[in-house]
Amino acid sequence: MTIPLFASLGPSLLLAACTPKDSPLAETPPRLRGGEVAATGRADQIALGGHGEFFHADMRRIVLTENALIAMQDDLMQRLDMPAAAVDPRIAKLLASQRLSAAERYWLRGAAIRSHLAKRDDEDGQRLDLINDLLLQRSGRFRGLLLSDDRLVRLRELLGLAEVPFIGTNYMLRCRTAVVPIPPDFATGTDWKYQGALVTNLVSPGEYAGVYTFHDPQKRGACVALPRGSGAPGSLMGILCQSATTGAACFWDNKLRSAGPGATAIGWANMTVRIRDLQDGDSLRENCTGCHTGNNVYLVMPDDPTWAKLLRRNMVGTDHGNFTLRVKGSTDASSPAGSGSTFRYVPISSQAGWTNTVNQPDCANGCHEGANPSVSAFWDTASPRPSMPPACASGSVNSCYVDPF
């Protein structure tokens, strides 16, 4: 597959089209179902993006291929006719290299488009910026456009930017370096798989708490999202991702980074929650490790049927890949024997006090290290009160973890 290159840093950075713009791309035709249309390679085919998908003006879903994304990016750059002066010179210099992978060139061209559009303040520029954003979000579905972690970090170093557009925040890069799966943007109907609602909601008994999971095919571990309430503004959603191989764990809440310490929850229903826009372990005002302690980061109730799905990999869907809640390695090996793992998770945070220190060994049929006093207090006041305390399983549960690792 030939990817157009920036030929020079001359008056403009025009790209020749690599595919016909008025017909479906020359690739194995995707199977179309009712209400779907094949991608043509034209950026203006995208009328709407949401729930991780592209939609045509008549609301038919656009079925994408890797070539389609590249062609749409070509088309977008041709429409902009970007002058060299409008592109960050660091990006332009990197794009002149002949040694870039397809993924690196795709992401850098997206950064070049963002660099150009950042100098515009008109409605059309905002629309094109959104299309560029959508194109980059969708690249994660295709292996040829997926950046490996070491190349991602290297690009960040070469660009020397505090926040590389679309690649992520400082916190996300630190999580990547620690081999933690990075969650995709959250929306129902996307790569997040709905596993059901919790029967036992310790924090708010009787209220809805859904469990969604994501796994990275290249990393052992898990991402779990717990959206609560109605999903309207004010409804909380926490996202926790943990590496099985390093024990590192990362935290996000659905509060905007830009809103500062007093931010309220933005909700989660009927919208796409962008991970890079959320407060995280470096910026959240509350200390998540006040409750999230033990040999894994999750506050499991093993007798709850939804948590049981995750512990025993009896989940919705057939491909669970590298998904596991168990920590298999960590710099902290102080967890007591019999609590599911001798290793303890390590929180990723630059904030003082974010430590995993509670060590209570007494947990019958332990799936997890014994809960700390904060979590036990919720159990004491829950109505109806669960049969077993947090992290403990009844005798009938027996083996808590079932995974192939």
Side-chain angles (χ1 to χ4, degrees):
M1 177 173 60
T2 300
I3 299 176
L5 306 179
F6 283 99
S8 69
L9 299 182
S12 66
L13 295 173
L14 281 174
L15 294 175
C18 64
T19 53
K21 296 301 181 186
D22 297 312
S23 62
L25 300 170
E27 199 170 34
T28 302
R31 292 184 178 181
L32 301 179
R33 297 175 295 183
E36 295 180 337
V37 60
T40 64
R42 294 179 59 99
D44 62 0
Q45 187 185 20
I46 305 171
L48 181 68
H51 298 284
E53 302 291 352
F54 294 167
F55 296 93
H56 194 268
D58 59 9
M59 290 308 295
R60 287 183 293 168
R61 188 175 76 90
I62 301 171
V63 180
L64 296 167
T65 64
E66 187 172 300
N67 282 350
L69 284 179
I70 294 169
M72 284 177 170
Q73 191 182 65
D74 290 348
D75 185 59
L76 185 56
M77 295 189 77
Q78 287 192 18
R79 291 169 187 275
L80 291 173
D81 187 12
M82 298 190 302
V87 178
D88 187 309
R90 292 165 294 187
I91 299 173
K93 182 178 179 181
L94 285 173
L95 279 165
S97 169
Q98 301 298 313
R99 295 184 295 177
L100 294 176
S101 69
E104 289 165 337
R105 190 169 301 282
Y106 183 83
W107 279 76
L108 280 170
R109 294 191 331 163
I113 294 170
R114 165 57 74 87
S115 174
H116 171 68
L117 290 173
K119 297 175 174 61
R120 293 176 52 171
D121 189 25
D122 59 281
E123 186 174 340
D124 189 53
Q126 293 174 3
R127 181 182 65 84
L128 295 175
D129 191 38
L130 176 60
I131 290 176
N132 185 45
D133 193 352
L134 291 170
L135 292 175
L136 288 165
Q137 287 184 35
R138 302 315 302 143
S139 67
R141 289 275 180 96
F142 302 99
R143 187 169 299 277
L145 297 180
L146 194 63
L147 282 170
S148 64
D149 289 343
D150 57 337
R151 301 297 284 174
L152 185 67
V153 173
R154 181 60 178 154
L155 272 182
R156 176 67 170 268
E157 292 171 349
L158 290 170
L159 287 172
L161 301 175
E163 301 287 349
V164 178
F166 318 112
I167 290 179
T169 62
N170 286 322
Y171 186 78
M172 291 169 73
L173 280 179
R174 284 170 45 222
C175 293
R176 288 182 190 274
T177 302
V179 201
V180 177
I182 301 301
D185 293 340
F186 180 88
T188 56
T190 62
D191 290 337
W192 288 93
K193 302 300 182 185
Y194 182 56
Q195 304 299 337
L198 291 180
V199 175
T200 304
N201 182 342
L202 275 180
V203 178
S204 302
E207 292 189 12
Y208 172 79
V211 176
Y212 287 78
T213 60
F214 167 79
H215 77 269
D216 185 322
Q218 306 301 320
K219 299 175 182 176
R220 293 182 183 178
C223 286
V224 179
L226 194 70
R228 284 157 276 176
S230 67
S235 301
L236 290 169
M237 178 178 68
I239 296 176
L240 300 177
C241 294
Q242 175 181 270
S243 169
T245 54
T246 69
C250 295
F251 303 74
W252 291 270
D253 271 354
N254 61 331
K255 300 176 182 179
L256 293 177
R257 290 158 50 85
S258 58
T264 58
I266 61 173
W268 51 268
N270 303 316
M271 63 184 295
T272 296
V273 179
R274 297 181 179 176
I275 303 302
R276 68 174 181 273
D277 292 339
L278 302 184
Q279 294 189 20
D280 51 44
D282 281 349
S283 55
L284 284 164
R285 181 164 62 180
E286 64 271 29
N287 184 338
C288 296
T289 62
C291 287
H292 291 273
T293 62
N295 55 328
N296 68 53
V297 71
Y298 303 103
L299 298 179
V300 295
M301 295 288 294
D303 285 356
D304 185 283
T306 303
W307 271 123
K309 290 181 186 178
L310 275 60
L311 288 166
R312 288 178 275 288
R313 286 169 47 91
N314 184 27
M315 300 183 295
V316 172
T318 57
D319 177 18
H320 307 319
N322 285 316
F323 185 94
T324 179
L325 298 185
R326 192 184 299 196
V327 171
K328 298 292 185 146
S330 171
T331 55
D332 186 346
S334 61
S335 184
S339 63
S341 172
T342 56
F343 297 107
R344 308 180 84 232
Y345 94 87
V346 178
I348 298 292
S349 175
S350 62
Q351 299 192 74
W354 280 61
T355 56
N356 181 13
T357 57
V358 174
N359 190 349
Q360 298 185 34
D362 298 327
C363 189
N365 296 297
C367 291
H368 190 283
E369 198 168 341
N372 67 33
S374 298
V375 178
S376 295
F378 284 119
W379 174 64
D380 288 336
T381 58
S383 179
R385 186 175 179 179
S387 60
M388 296 295 291
C392 298
S394 65
S396 62
V397 172
N398 299 318
S399 177
C400 292
Y401 294 97
V402 175
D403 61 47
F405 309 122

